[in-house]
């Protein structure tokens, strides 16, 4: 066992003395030591139940003959951090989570690990750590929230943000806004649509690192506790078979994850996280690969914010494995990939039929013939930018209009709330990228305001920042190179015409070559005065097209 170098032999008597200080017995020390990485805290709704998940995992580990130890990982609630300086500290925690978990796991010589993430950065951060540490590892999340219900219609966090836009536009009363506030998020768990947290938990199943139901079983269901026990038992089986994360997270597994991503219509943030996780596995995923997969993968699901279905509905319809079953009918997956239950993808999905064709479209009757995410390129984004195509209204798939330019989210939000954005406009928000933000803030407030004010069918938004998975509409993020790195988004002026063609994967700033050259020669990116962690992060981080990777 890996832990023997910590606990066996006379030279390790001092280590054993410290284990005994924990109250361990000889029998416990003779067993494999299993680290349980718990993202529990009392501020994030998606994490407030993880203490119970961790206890269930411990039970499973003990039942299967291991000795479990819980240690923590941090978590930021993107919803609470949204729209203020706190959002600068969201994406950057992905690296902190990976680094601190690596440090804890390797410092203490664990034989195996069970990771318990839930919200946006914890899932990719812990997957990155799993690849680095490379001991047998199983993921089990805290689970999604149940949808709310207002006036007989299901709701989720995106409904709440759009309700604020409706209130600001005078479309609903303060009393109705309060009703949304009190009923939109009725339980603990990750917010109930196909937002980033649920996207990444579903993709953890698709890539093979999570058991069936990891992404979809609601947080408040007893089945979630049972799943956690099974995860604890499963990691002991992986240990016996010596199956490790890099055995599971192969290039073929990442292609499977990208394919499922397109079928589900996941958050655009998956285009940041999958490349970063693959990088830790020594695998390169670029945005061109994403478009190649999207071109041949039908979009089978329209979960909120793209539609009126929620995670509980996807779970009832058969979950991620049922989606994979549909994809396999057209041979779109590599079904020989091994997974954390020791079985192949083929073995896992063959008995997981699609139980509700209104939630998971049959492969022959998709919402669209191409995937839910598109990568656009052009002179405004030489290295690429990303849009959730499945959440764009048909009339906005092709759009051309004058730019309204803002150098931060707050200024754009004020203009939207003040009625300064007109039908046909293209809102440009820059200096919000990985370096320029720094931290690549999500833009859920302005995008929700645009939708709530009835401008979703006539206004586009382009940014070098990013979007929440709850965003819908013609919202194009991750523009790379970003303004702070000298990208062309930094030279756009009010009134410049921007052309967006999502079906053709193109985005262009319609200026003459001579005008572009003249502006670029004069362009000096704005600099911000930074300190602390954000200063170090801005100095080390790559662009959004590369996954905002910190690798120095």
């Amino acid at each position: 066992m890996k832990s023997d170098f910590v606990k066996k032999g006379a030279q390790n008597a001092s280590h054993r003395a410290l284990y005994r200080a924990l109250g361990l017995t000889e029998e416990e020390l003779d067993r494999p030591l299993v680290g349980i990485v718990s993202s529990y805290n009392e501020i994030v709704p998606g994490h407030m139940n993880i203490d119970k998940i961790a206890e269930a995992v411990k039970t499973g580990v003990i039942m299967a003959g291991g000795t479990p130890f819980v240690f923590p990982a941090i978590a930021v609630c993107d919803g609470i951090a949204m729209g203020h300086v706190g959002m600068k500290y969201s994406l950057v925690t992905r690296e902190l989570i990976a680094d601190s978990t690596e440090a804890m796991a390797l410092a203490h010589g664990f034989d195996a690990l069970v990771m318990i993430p839930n919200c946006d950065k914890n899932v990719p951060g812990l997957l990155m750590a799993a690849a680095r540490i490379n001991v047998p590892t199983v993921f089990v999340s805290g689970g999604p929230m149940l949808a709310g219900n207002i006036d007989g219609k299901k709701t989720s966090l995106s409904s709440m943000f759009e309700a604020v836009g409706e209130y600001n536009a005078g479309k609903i009363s303060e009393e109705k806004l309060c009703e949304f506030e009190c009923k939109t998020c009725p339980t603990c768990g990750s917010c109930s649509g196909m937002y980033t947290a649920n996207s990444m938990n579903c993709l953890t199943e698709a890539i093979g690192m999570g058991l069936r139901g990891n992404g979809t079983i609601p947080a408040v269901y007893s089945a979630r506790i049972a799943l956690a026990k099974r995860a604890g038992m499963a990691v002991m089986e992986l240990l016996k078979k010596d199956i490790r994360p890099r055995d599971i997270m192969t290039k073929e597994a990442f292609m499977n994850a990208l394919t499922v991503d397109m079928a589900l219509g996941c958050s655009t943030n998956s285009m940041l996280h999958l490349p970063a996780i693959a990088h830790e596995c020594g695998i390169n995923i670029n945005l061109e690969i994403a478009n190649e997969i999207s071109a041949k993968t039908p979009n089978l699901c329209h979960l909120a914010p793209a539609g009126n279905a929620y995670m509980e509905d996807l779970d009832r319809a058969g979950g991620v494995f049922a989606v994979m079953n549909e994809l396999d009918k057209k041979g779109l997956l590599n079904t020989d990939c091994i997974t954390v239950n020791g079985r192949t993808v083929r073995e896992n999905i063959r008995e997981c039929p699609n139980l509700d064709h209104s939630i998971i479209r049959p492969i022959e009757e998709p919402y669209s013939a191409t995937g839910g995410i598109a990568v656009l390129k052009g002179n405004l984004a030489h290295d690429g930018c990303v849009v959730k195509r499945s959440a764009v209204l048909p009339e906005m798939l092709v759009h051309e209009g004058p730019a309204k330019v803002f150098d931060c989210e707050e200024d754009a939000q004020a203009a939207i709330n003040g009625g300064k954005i007109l039908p046909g406009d293209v809102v440009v928000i820059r200096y919000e990228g990985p370096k320029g933000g720094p931290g690549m803030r999500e833009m859920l407030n302005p995008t929700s305001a645009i939708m709530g004010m009835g401008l979703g069918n006539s206004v586009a938004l382009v940014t070098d920042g990013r979007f929440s998975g709850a965003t819908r509409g013609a919202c194009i993020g991750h523009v790379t190179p970003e303004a702070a790195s000298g990208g062309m988004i930094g030279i756009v002026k009010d009134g410049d015409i921007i052309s967006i063609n999502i079906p053709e994967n193109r985005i262009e700033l319609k200026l003459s070559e001579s005008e572009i050259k003249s502006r670029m020669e004069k362009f000096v990116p704005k600099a911000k005065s930074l300190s602390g962690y954000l200063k170090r992060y801005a100095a080390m981080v790559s662009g959004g097209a590369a996954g905002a990777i910190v690798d120095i």
Side-chain angles (χ1 to χ4, degrees):
M1 287 186 292
K2 179 181 175 67
S3 61
D4 285 352
F5 81 92
V6 175
K7 65 186 184 182
K8 295 290 186 181
Q11 73 277 9
N12 287 324
S14 57
H15 296 165
R16 291 196 299 276
L18 293 169
Y19 283 124
R20 292 185 185 281
L22 296 172
L24 295 188
T25 65
E26 288 286 351
E27 291 82 1
E28 288 171 305
L29 282 171
D30 283 340
R31 295 171 183 167
L33 306 185
V34 180
I36 300 172
V37 188
S38 170
S39 300
Y40 169 76
N41 63 49
E42 295 182 341
I43 186 61
V44 184
H47 291 239
M48 63 178 287
N49 64 319
I50 284 179
D51 57 338
K52 297 176 178 59
I53 302 296
E55 286 300 317
V57 170
K58 287 174 66 176
T59 298
V61 168
I62 292 168
M63 288 168 62
T67 299
F69 299 87
V70 177
F71 65 89
I74 63 169
V76 165
C77 177
D78 278 23
I80 295 175
M82 194 70 65
H84 58 89
V85 68
M87 183 46 70
K88 294 178 184 287
Y89 288 91
S90 173
L91 180 60
V92 304
T93 64
R94 188 184 71 183
E95 318 310 314
L96 293 174
I97 291 161
D99 291 349
S100 59
T101 302
E102 173 192 358
M104 285 292 291
L106 294 181
H108 297 100
F110 291 115
D111 296 296
L113 296 165
V114 179
M115 308 286 201
I116 314 177
N118 210 28
C119 289
D120 296 35
K121 309 311 161 300
N122 297 83
V123 188
L126 290 179
L127 283 166
M128 290 162 66
R132 293 181 195 174
I133 300 160
N134 204 35
V135 299
T137 303
V138 175
F139 276 66
V140 56
S141 76
M145 185 183 291
L146 293 179
N149 192 301
I150 295 177
D151 299 329
K153 295 180 180 179
K154 287 184 176 181
T155 60
S156 60
L157 187 64
S158 55
S159 312
M160 182 69 249
F161 276 86
E162 290 181 19
V164 174
E166 293 181 68
Y167 173 75
N168 288 335
K171 294 183 176 182
I172 62 172
S173 66
E174 185 174 352
E175 290 74 19
K176 178 58 72 173
L177 183 66
C178 183
E179 184 181 358
F180 271 92
E181 178 184 330
C182 295
K183 296 181 179 179
T184 293
C185 299
T187 72
C188 65
S190 49
C191 297
S192 56
M194 187 53 78
Y195 311 146
T196 306
N198 293 327
S199 294
M200 294 309 303
N201 281 320
C202 286
L203 295 181
T204 300
E205 283 189 63
I207 208 168
M209 290 296 292
L211 298 174
R212 180 185 180 186
N214 176 68
T216 60
I217 297 173
V220 295
Y221 283 12
S222 298
R224 175 62 56 179
I225 300 296
L227 180 71
K229 292 175 183 175
R230 288 197 295 271
M233 292 185 279
V235 81
M236 298 303 295
E237 284 300 310
L238 284 185
L239 183 58
K240 289 176 186 176
K241 297 175 181 178
D242 195 29
I243 298 175
R244 300 169 183 245
R246 289 185 210 166
D247 299 324
I248 295 169
M249 291 193 287
T250 61
K251 184 173 183 179
E252 293 76 15
F254 279 101
M255 296 305 103
N256 283 349
L258 279 167
T259 301
V260 173
D261 187 334
M262 299 303 170
L264 283 172
C266 289
S267 164
T268 52
N269 283 315
S270 64
M271 293 296 101
L272 282 175
H273 299 320
L274 287 175
I277 299 161
H279 177 75
E280 297 289 352
C281 297
I283 297 165
N284 178 50
I285 291 180
N286 57 45
L287 296 184
E288 284 78 9
I289 293 173
N291 264 355
E292 289 171 16
I293 291 177
S294 180
K296 64 183 180 181
T297 305
N299 178 223
L300 304 181
C301 299
H302 269 191
L303 283 87
N308 297 316
Y310 296 83
M311 296 308 297
E312 62 205 67
D313 301 313
L314 180 59
D315 186 64
R316 176 175 48 80
V320 175
F321 282 13
V323 174
M324 295 176 76
N325 192 314
E326 288 290 345
L327 293 170
D328 189 44
K329 292 176 183 178
K330 290 279 181 79
L332 296 174
L333 298 174
N334 186 316
T335 56
D336 292 326
C337 293
I338 197 71
T339 70
V340 287
N341 62 7
R343 303 169 71 191
T344 64
V345 169
R346 180 183 300 107
E347 292 171 315
N348 284 340
I349 68 175
R350 65 187 175 192
E351 296 177 0
C352 300
N354 180 356
L355 301 177
D356 189 338
H357 291 184
S358 70
I359 304 300
I360 305 170
R361 288 279 185 92
I363 195 78
E364 303 82 7
E365 303 173 25
Y367 284 102
S368 65
T370 53
I373 289 176
V375 175
L376 314 185
K377 282 195 171 184
N379 66 2
L380 191 58
H382 284 290
D383 296 335
C385 54
V386 180
V387 62
K388 188 170 184 175
R389 174 166 46 194
S390 60
V392 178
L393 292 170
E395 58 266 38
M396 290 299 293
L397 290 170
V398 178
H399 180 76
E400 186 171 294
K404 295 282 183 69
V405 184
F406 306 93
D407 286 347
C408 66
E409 178 188 358
E410 287 82 356
D411 290 350
Q413 186 70 44
I416 296 167
N417 291 344
K420 296 179 181 179
I421 304 303
L422 305 176
D425 285 346
V426 178
V427 177
V428 176
I429 307 177
R430 60 194 180 194
Y431 295 103
E432 292 287 8
K435 289 181 181 292
M440 205 177 187
R441 287 198 288 179
E442 290 185 343
M443 305 289 169
L444 183 55
N445 276 345
T447 61
S448 297
I450 287 169
M451 296 302 295
M453 297 176 79
L455 295 171
N457 63 350
S458 61
V459 170
L461 193 153
V462 177
T463 181
D464 53 11
R466 62 193 178 95
F467 299 114
S468 164
T471 286
R472 63 189 179 105
C475 301
I476 298 161
H478 309 191
V479 169
T480 312
E482 61 179 288
S485 296
M488 270 187 52
I489 192 172
I491 66 167
V492 181
K493 297 180 180 180
D494 283 347
D496 288 348
I497 301 301
I498 294 176
S499 174
I500 298 163
N501 191 318
I502 295 172
E504 295 184 4
N505 304 115
R506 297 293 299 171
I507 183 167
E508 297 285 339
L509 176 61
K510 301 192 78 174
L511 294 177
S512 68
E513 288 299 320
S514 60
E515 178 64 15
I516 290 173
K517 182 180 179 181
S518 174
R519 291 192 193 182
M520 289 298 290
E521 287 174 348
K522 300 173 184 175
F523 176 42
V524 178
K526 294 183 177 181
K528 295 180 180 178
S529 178
L530 301 172
S531 62
Y533 179 50
L534 291 182
K535 182 177 181 179
R536 298 196 302 275
Y537 181 85
M540 296 186 293
V541 69
S542 72
I549 295 165
V550 172
D551 187 23
I552 292 180

